[in-house]
Amino acid sequence: MAARPPSLPTLLVCALLACGADAAPAVAQDVAQDNERVIRVGDARLRVIVEGVADRERVDELQRWLAECADAALSAYGRLPLREAKVLIRQSRARDGGIRQSGRRGDPSPVPWGQTRRDDGVSVLLYVRPDAGIDELRDDWTAVHELSHLFHPYLGEDGRWLAEGLASYYQNVLRARAGQLDGDEAWRRLDAGFARGRNSGAGMPLGEIGWSRASTMRIYWGGAMFWLEADLALRRERRLDLDTVLSRYSRCCLDSDSEATPEEFVAELDRLGGGKVFTTLFRRYAAMREFPPTQNAYRALGLDKQDGRLRFSDRADAVRLRRAIMQPRAAAAR
């Protein structure tokens, strides 16, 4: 989740995505202050700050957890998309103002809320449950979701479905590549997300929904389906992948205050990838009032839903494609 400060045209729903390298560079970690750790990758750095926690062991645990999330993303992609960003970790309370603002008061999740702001540099804010242990935190998807938007510019309300869709797609893909999820389980979680989006029903065109909470599932998972289809089309038509194109965008066009309309963003991705994959899909998806069909993508991936369960074909081309998306980059069939 990301929020736009009232006086600033800035949004970027978090993340530590980094693309385009087969092997991750060395990651250095320095403790700068009592509650701050700096993760350095080349000339880029991510500041991890734990706020309002006096217990030294808990501070170390939370910093270690976030460092693992960062390392997982780096293992898959190899570099940070921005020169500098920071992550603020706070422990939630039942009456915590952040939880009230998120609309998830009483949420039992280990990480009930996350937000990214750009009013003072790029800041990722994560609320964690005070009694959430390290294993619970590692099993939670929120931090990886929130560490998956640094790879796009601020896209405005009309582009929210693109932003949230990218994070929803990569929260599963990155965790699988890092070994935090089994590859088949990552596909099951994507399929479950698509089902939630489909069950939310029809409504306004996807490109016009903006911040409507009533259509949250269609925004997140219809957007995720867009990025999955784009990834598949790039692999089929351009012998590229989504990671490579987003990495090129990061190098040429992305900084901490980048803004673009959705149309400008997808046009630039097409320029960097060649062809019209993104703009063609964008026109179709932005006009959709219902959840996008999954049949063609599932057929290519060898996925089939039977009796409510996702089945996996052993067809060689489908197995290679599923592995290419979900396996660690160095091990994937390229």
Side-chain angles (χ1 to χ4, degrees):
M1 172 184 172
R4 176 178 178 175
S7 62
L8 292 166
T10 52
L11 158 84
L12 187 62
V13 193
C14 86
L16 187 68
L17 272 180
C19 285
D22 290 337
V27 177
Q29 298 180 27
D30 306 310
V31 178
Q33 298 177 9
D34 286 345
N35 284 31
E36 178 175 342
R37 172 175 295 180
V38 179
I39 299 174
R40 300 180 186 275
V41 186
D43 62 352
R45 70 176 193 162
L46 183 74
R47 296 169 55 211
V48 182
I49 304 166
V50 178
E51 296 185 336
V53 179
D55 184 342
R56 184 70 251 170
E57 290 187 6
R58 180 60 168 170
V59 170
D60 290 343
E61 183 175 63
L62 293 172
Q63 289 176 333
R64 185 168 70 253
W65 160 66
L66 200 286
E68 289 177 5
C69 293
D71 188 58
L74 289 171
S75 296
Y77 294 95
R79 64 182 176 84
L80 295 173
L82 296 174
R83 183 68 59 87
E84 182 165 346
K86 63 183 175 183
V87 177
L88 306 177
I89 303 174
R90 297 173 183 168
Q91 295 198 133
S92 62
R93 299 278 188 259
R95 297 180 181 276
D96 195 295
I99 302 303
R100 286 202 305 271
Q101 182 180 348
S102 75
R104 295 172 66 178
R105 184 173 178 176
D107 191 328
S109 303
V111 189
W113 186 48
Q115 179 187 50
T116 297
R117 302 175 66 95
R118 301 182 96 183
D119 49 344
D120 182 20
V122 179
S123 299
V124 177
L125 175 60
L126 297 170
Y127 279 88
V128 302
R129 216 179 63 228
D131 61 345
I134 188 68
D135 290 337
E136 283 187 282
L137 292 170
R138 286 168 174 161
D139 288 341
D140 190 88
W141 54 266
T142 309
V144 176
H145 178 103
E146 293 299 331
L147 286 176
S148 294
H149 286 281
L150 294 182
F151 216 59
H152 65 76
Y154 171 63
L155 295 171
E157 291 188 14
D158 290 346
R160 184 179 176 227
W161 64 276
L162 287 174
E164 296 294 358
L166 183 62
S168 299
Y169 179 56
Y170 269 126
Q171 77 188 35
N172 294 288
V173 170
L174 290 182
R175 294 180 69 218
R177 290 178 183 174
Q180 297 174 353
L181 285 179
D182 174 81
D184 286 355
E185 177 61 19
W187 288 116
R188 291 187 190 98
R189 294 192 184 196
L190 278 169
D191 176 68
F194 297 150
R196 290 193 294 274
R198 189 179 300 109
N199 291 340
S200 68
M204 296 175 63
L206 194 57
E208 298 177 14
I209 293 175
W211 288 94
S212 170
R213 288 189 177 184
S215 302
T216 294
M217 289 298 100
R218 191 155 67 93
I219 290 169
Y220 278 60
W221 295 105
M225 191 63 210
F226 169 88
W227 293 106
L228 171 59
E229 275 213 76
D231 202 357
L232 293 174
L234 288 168
R235 294 170 188 273
R236 180 177 62 249
E237 300 172 17
R238 310 301 304 173
R239 295 188 178 181
L240 287 172
D241 52 49
L242 181 59
D243 314 325
T244 299
V245 176
L246 289 176
S247 179
R248 291 174 181 176
Y249 186 88
S250 172
R251 292 183 185 278
C252 79
C253 309
L254 194 66
D255 55 41
S256 60
D257 59 357
S258 295
E259 297 181 41
T261 67
E263 293 82 1
E264 290 169 343
F265 182 48
V266 297
E268 186 63 22
L269 294 180
D270 271 337
R271 185 187 71 80
L272 295 167
K276 295 293 183 181
V277 165
F278 293 97
T279 51
T280 300
L281 283 174
F282 175 81
R283 292 190 194 101
R284 178 159 60 89
Y285 270 71
M288 285 184 180
R289 293 179 177 272
E290 298 182 347
F291 194 82
T294 60
Q295 292 91 330
N296 290 341
Y298 276 33
R299 188 178 302 113
L301 291 161
L303 303 177
D304 186 34
K305 205 72 172 288
Q306 298 179 15
D307 301 323
R309 297 182 61 187
L310 194 65
R311 308 286 183 174
F312 299 86
S313 168
D314 60 1
R315 201 178 74 235
D317 64 320
V319 172
R320 284 195 300 270
L321 184 55
R322 294 197 303 268
R323 288 178 177 173
I325 292 173
M326 292 296 182
Q327 282 188 348
R329 193 173 180 86
R334 304 301 297 166

